[in-house]
Amino acid sequence: MKLLLIMPQFFDYPQVIREELESMGWQVDFFDDRPSTHALVKAAIRVNKHLLHTYIRRYFAQMMRTVRNTKYDAVLLISGQSLSLSEDMMRQLRESQPQARFVLYQWDSLRNFPYIARMQKYFDRCYTFDPQDARDNPHLHFLPLFYSARYEKLGAETPQPPKYDFCFVGTAHPKKYKLIRKMSEELRAVYPRQFVYFFYPSPLVYYYRKLRNPELRKAKREEFHFVPLKEPEMMEVFRASRSVMDSAQSAQAGLTIRVLEALGAKKKLITTNPDIVNYDFYRPENIYVYDGRMDLNHVFFQKPYRELEDEIYQRYSLRSWLTELLQEEVDSVAASV
């Protein structure tokens, strides 16, 4: 079976997803959903992708030269806020693959990226990580994110004495930066060993954010990193940490992928997302929901990590996630053979 994967080049997630798909028997062609990962290009696409109209059309034409020469069984588009394809481009893509089933997964809230709602008509099935979007839109199926096999392996290891009391690694969105800093300060007396890695794709993005967002006015440049943490380093940080800290972006109800990676690695979690209590893996011993004040008498700080049932861990694995997205495509191909 052949699959066309279109998604952002976001850390190494395309490679991880592609490798898992190939292990499931798919032949995969991958294309970024934008013509470049340069910070200026990414910023322009988010602000107004018409500024790059000619550049995007040239990239799309190049992509279509490959796509038109291949007959795909499925097309999977994983979309955040970076999607540069126009409706006309999506229509051309759909017309070039009439036999394929098209699946959309929304990795951001419609409140942050309303444009994607206009793209849903080109897909046979649409999913979202955001439960509120799924409740509000009958065309969207709710499906949380995943953790990859490397986090599952980490969870299977014998725990070692932690080097860090908690870790945070993520993009420094203004609200997120403010909350992580606040939680860090409130925990410093009891969790002094902290690993915090605020990331921006370039100094230009940092200065742009600092000028526009009051949460960053007092921020110092040395707090930020402009190179993403490499995956081996990320795994070592996770391995060495007692717990993981997380904060959702503004207007998002869906769980970040860091939450699911903490689940797979069997790490405790501190998060600002109150919706997490509605998930089957929520246990107060394992997950603390920050509401503006740290309660150090909470069971989270008093009890060790509580193991969950195996089926819960399996439910959020990358393989289970891909199986849910593509099962109808697998069944459809099998029926036509």
Side-chain angles (χ1 to χ4, degrees), residues 42-57:
K42 292 192 288 186
I45 288 171
R46 291 196 178 198
V47 174
N48 185 347
K49 61 176 173 287
H50 296 296
L51 297 171
L52 301 172
H53 179 72
T54 302
Y55 188 28
I56 293 170
R57 291 202 67 84

PDB file of all heavy atoms in Angstrom, residues 42-57:
ATOM      1  N   LYS A  42       8.297  30.499   7.541  1.00  0.00           N
ATOM      2  CA  LYS A  42       7.280  30.009   8.475  1.00  0.00           C
ATOM      3  C   LYS A  42       6.453  31.154   9.042  1.00  0.00           C
ATOM      4  O   LYS A  42       5.227  31.049   9.167  1.00  0.00           O
ATOM      5  CB  LYS A  42       7.946  29.209   9.604  1.00  0.00           C
ATOM      6  CG  LYS A  42       8.565  27.895   9.133  1.00  0.00           C
ATOM      7  CD  LYS A  42       8.945  26.990  10.272  1.00  0.00           C
ATOM      8  CE  LYS A  42      10.145  27.486  11.016  1.00  0.00           C
ATOM      9  NZ  LYS A  42      10.618  26.527  12.045  1.00  0.00           N
ATOM     10  N   ALA A  43       7.115  32.258   9.369  1.00  0.00           N
ATOM     11  CA  ALA A  43       6.396  33.402   9.921  1.00  0.00           C
ATOM     12  C   ALA A  43       5.460  34.004   8.887  1.00  0.00           C
ATOM     13  O   ALA A  43       4.309  34.354   9.194  1.00  0.00           O
ATOM     14  CB  ALA A  43       7.394  34.450  10.414  1.00  0.00           C
ATOM     15  N   ALA A  44       5.923  34.126   7.628  1.00  0.00           N
ATOM     16  CA  ALA A  44       5.092  34.709   6.571  1.00  0.00           C
ATOM     17  C   ALA A  44       3.864  33.863   6.300  1.00  0.00           C
ATOM     18  O   ALA A  44       2.770  34.385   6.054  1.00  0.00           O
ATOM     19  CB  ALA A  44       5.919  34.869   5.298  1.00  0.00           C
ATOM     20  N   ILE A  45       4.010  32.538   6.342  1.00  0.00           N
ATOM     21  CA  ILE A  45       2.874  31.641   6.112  1.00  0.00           C
ATOM     22  C   ILE A  45       1.829  31.830   7.193  1.00  0.00           C
ATOM     23  O   ILE A  45       0.622  31.849   6.927  1.00  0.00           O
ATOM     24  CB  ILE A  45       3.358  30.178   6.035  1.00  0.00           C
ATOM     25  CG1 ILE A  45       4.122  29.955   4.723  1.00  0.00           C
ATOM     26  CG2 ILE A  45       2.185  29.204   6.144  1.00  0.00           C
ATOM     27  CD1 ILE A  45       4.814  28.622   4.637  1.00  0.00           C
ATOM     28  N   ARG A  46       2.277  32.005   8.430  1.00  0.00           N
ATOM     29  CA  ARG A  46       1.318  32.184   9.521  1.00  0.00           C
ATOM     30  C   ARG A  46       0.616  33.541   9.447  1.00  0.00           C
ATOM     31  O   ARG A  46      -0.560  33.652   9.759  1.00  0.00           O
ATOM     32  CB  ARG A  46       2.021  32.033  10.872  1.00  0.00           C
ATOM     33  CG  ARG A  46       2.479  30.618  11.141  1.00  0.00           C
ATOM     34  CD  ARG A  46       2.820  30.405  12.596  1.00  0.00           C
ATOM     35  NE  ARG A  46       3.212  29.038  12.865  1.00  0.00           N
ATOM     36  CZ  ARG A  46       3.233  28.498  14.068  1.00  0.00           C
ATOM     37  NH1 ARG A  46       2.871  29.221  15.114  1.00  0.00           N
ATOM     38  NH2 ARG A  46       3.607  27.256  14.256  1.00  0.00           N
ATOM     39  N   VAL A  47       1.369  34.569   9.025  1.00  0.00           N
ATOM     40  CA  VAL A  47       0.787  35.904   8.957  1.00  0.00           C
ATOM     41  C   VAL A  47      -0.107  36.040   7.738  1.00  0.00           C
ATOM     42  O   VAL A  47      -1.280  36.430   7.840  1.00  0.00           O
ATOM     43  CB  VAL A  47       1.889  36.977   8.941  1.00  0.00           C
ATOM     44  CG1 VAL A  47       1.297  38.364   8.711  1.00  0.00           C
ATOM     45  CG2 VAL A  47       2.670  36.940  10.246  1.00  0.00           C
ATOM     46  N   ASN A  48       0.431  35.710   6.562  1.00  0.00           N
ATOM     47  CA  ASN A  48      -0.335  35.819   5.319  1.00  0.00           C
ATOM     48  C   ASN A  48       0.430  35.080   4.226  1.00  0.00           C
ATOM     49  O   ASN A  48       1.384  35.607   3.655  1.00  0.00           O
ATOM     50  CB  ASN A  48      -0.537  37.285   4.937  1.00  0.00           C
ATOM     51  CG  ASN A  48      -1.435  37.442   3.719  1.00  0.00           C
ATOM     52  OD1 ASN A  48      -1.731  36.485   3.010  1.00  0.00           O
ATOM     53  ND2 ASN A  48      -1.877  38.665   3.478  1.00  0.00           N
ATOM     54  N   LYS A  49      -0.011  33.861   3.924  1.00  0.00           N
ATOM     55  CA  LYS A  49       0.741  33.051   2.970  1.00  0.00           C
ATOM     56  C   LYS A  49       0.680  33.596   1.542  1.00  0.00           C
ATOM     57  O   LYS A  49       1.472  33.184   0.685  1.00  0.00           O
ATOM     58  CB  LYS A  49       0.271  31.594   3.000  1.00  0.00           C
ATOM     59  CG  LYS A  49      -1.160  31.332   2.654  1.00  0.00           C
ATOM     60  CD  LYS A  49      -1.403  29.823   2.643  1.00  0.00           C
ATOM     61  CE  LYS A  49      -2.866  29.479   2.465  1.00  0.00           C
ATOM     62  NZ  LYS A  49      -3.610  29.762   3.703  1.00  0.00           N
ATOM     63  N   HIS A  50      -0.219  34.539   1.262  1.00  0.00           N
ATOM     64  CA  HIS A  50      -0.269  35.151  -0.064  1.00  0.00           C
ATOM     65  C   HIS A  50       0.999  35.958  -0.352  1.00  0.00           C
ATOM     66  O   HIS A  50       1.311  36.242  -1.509  1.00  0.00           O
ATOM     67  CB  HIS A  50      -1.509  36.034  -0.193  1.00  0.00           C
ATOM     68  CG  HIS A  50      -2.792  35.257  -0.094  1.00  0.00           C
ATOM     69  ND1 HIS A  50      -3.151  34.287  -1.022  1.00  0.00           N
ATOM     70  CD2 HIS A  50      -3.786  35.287   0.832  1.00  0.00           C
ATOM     71  CE1 HIS A  50      -4.312  33.764  -0.679  1.00  0.00           C
ATOM     72  NE2 HIS A  50      -4.719  34.346   0.446  1.00  0.00           N
ATOM     73  N   LEU A  51       1.726  36.325   0.701  1.00  0.00           N
ATOM     74  CA  LEU A  51       2.994  37.019   0.517  1.00  0.00           C
ATOM     75  C   LEU A  51       4.007  36.134  -0.217  1.00  0.00           C
ATOM     76  O   LEU A  51       4.938  36.636  -0.845  1.00  0.00           O
ATOM     77  CB  LEU A  51       3.573  37.433   1.876  1.00  0.00           C
ATOM     78  CG  LEU A  51       2.746  38.428   2.707  1.00  0.00           C
ATOM     79  CD1 LEU A  51       3.338  38.561   4.104  1.00  0.00           C
ATOM     80  CD2 LEU A  51       2.678  39.782   2.015  1.00  0.00           C
ATOM     81  N   LEU A  52       3.824  34.823  -0.126  1.00  0.00           N
ATOM     82  CA  LEU A  52       4.751  33.860  -0.738  1.00  0.00           C
ATOM     83  C   LEU A  52       4.076  33.078  -1.862  1.00  0.00           C
ATOM     84  O   LEU A  52       4.458  31.945  -2.157  1.00  0.00           O
ATOM     85  CB  LEU A  52       5.261  32.882   0.332  1.00  0.00           C
ATOM     86  CG  LEU A  52       5.996  33.494   1.519  1.00  0.00           C
ATOM     87  CD1 LEU A  52       6.268  32.428   2.575  1.00  0.00           C
ATOM     88  CD2 LEU A  52       7.299  34.135   1.082  1.00  0.00           C
ATOM     89  N   HIS A  53       3.072  33.687  -2.498  1.00  0.00           N
ATOM     90  CA  HIS A  53       2.236  32.957  -3.459  1.00  0.00           C
ATOM     91  C   HIS A  53       3.071  32.267  -4.541  1.00  0.00           C
ATOM     92  O   HIS A  53       2.903  31.062  -4.793  1.00  0.00           O
ATOM     93  CB  HIS A  53       1.225  33.927  -4.089  1.00  0.00           C
ATOM     94  CG  HIS A  53       0.337  33.284  -5.096  1.00  0.00           C
ATOM     95  ND1 HIS A  53      -0.674  32.398  -4.747  1.00  0.00           N
ATOM     96  CD2 HIS A  53       0.307  33.377  -6.458  1.00  0.00           C
ATOM     97  CE1 HIS A  53      -1.287  31.985  -5.837  1.00  0.00           C
ATOM     98  NE2 HIS A  53      -0.720  32.560  -6.886  1.00  0.00           N
ATOM     99  N   THR A  54       3.982  33.010  -5.182  1.00  0.00           N
ATOM    100  CA  THR A  54       4.772  32.435  -6.269  1.00  0.00           C
ATOM    101  C   THR A  54       5.682  31.325  -5.761  1.00  0.00           C
ATOM    102  O   THR A  54       5.816  30.252  -6.385  1.00  0.00           O
ATOM    103  CB  THR A  54       5.614  33.527  -6.946  1.00  0.00           C
ATOM    104  OG1 THR A  54       4.745  34.547  -7.442  1.00  0.00           O
ATOM    105  CG2 THR A  54       6.433  32.946  -8.088  1.00  0.00           C
ATOM    106  N   TYR A  55       6.306  31.539  -4.624  1.00  0.00           N
ATOM    107  CA  TYR A  55       7.209  30.550  -4.019  1.00  0.00           C
ATOM    108  C   TYR A  55       6.453  29.265  -3.689  1.00  0.00           C
ATOM    109  O   TYR A  55       6.918  28.147  -3.972  1.00  0.00           O
ATOM    110  CB  TYR A  55       7.807  31.181  -2.770  1.00  0.00           C
ATOM    111  CG  TYR A  55       8.911  30.402  -2.093  1.00  0.00           C
ATOM    112  CD1 TYR A  55       9.746  29.530  -2.790  1.00  0.00           C
ATOM    113  CD2 TYR A  55       9.147  30.580  -0.734  1.00  0.00           C
ATOM    114  CE1 TYR A  55      10.765  28.843  -2.157  1.00  0.00           C
ATOM    115  CE2 TYR A  55      10.171  29.896  -0.080  1.00  0.00           C
ATOM    116  CZ  TYR A  55      10.965  29.040  -0.800  1.00  0.00           C
ATOM    117  OH  TYR A  55      11.977  28.366  -0.165  1.00  0.00           O
ATOM    118  N   ILE A  56       5.255  29.400  -3.126  1.00  0.00           N
ATOM    119  CA  ILE A  56       4.451  28.240  -2.753  1.00  0.00           C
ATOM    120  C   ILE A  56       3.976  27.485  -3.990  1.00  0.00           C
ATOM    121  O   ILE A  56       4.018  26.251  -4.036  1.00  0.00           O
ATOM    122  CB  ILE A  56       3.255  28.668  -1.882  1.00  0.00           C
ATOM    123  CG1 ILE A  56       3.752  29.184  -0.526  1.00  0.00           C
ATOM    124  CG2 ILE A  56       2.277  27.512  -1.677  1.00  0.00           C
ATOM    125  CD1 ILE A  56       2.680  29.846   0.314  1.00  0.00           C
ATOM    126  N   ARG A  57       3.537  28.213  -5.024  1.00  0.00           N
ATOM    127  CA  ARG A  57       3.072  27.552  -6.247  1.00  0.00           C
ATOM    128  C   ARG A  57       4.207  26.774  -6.912  1.00  0.00           C
ATOM    129  O   ARG A  57       3.988  25.677  -7.442  1.00  0.00           O
ATOM    130  CB  ARG A  57       2.484  28.573  -7.217  1.00  0.00           C
ATOM    131  CG  ARG A  57       1.173  29.190  -6.757  1.00  0.00           C
ATOM    132  CD  ARG A  57       0.387  29.758  -7.923  1.00  0.00           C
ATOM    133  NE  ARG A  57      -0.075  28.698  -8.814  1.00  0.00           N
ATOM    134  CZ  ARG A  57      -1.176  27.994  -8.624  1.00  0.00           C
ATOM    135  NH1 ARG A  57      -1.936  28.201  -7.551  1.00  0.00           N
ATOM    136  NH2 ARG A  57      -1.518  27.063  -9.479  1.00  0.00           N
TER     137      ARG A  57
END
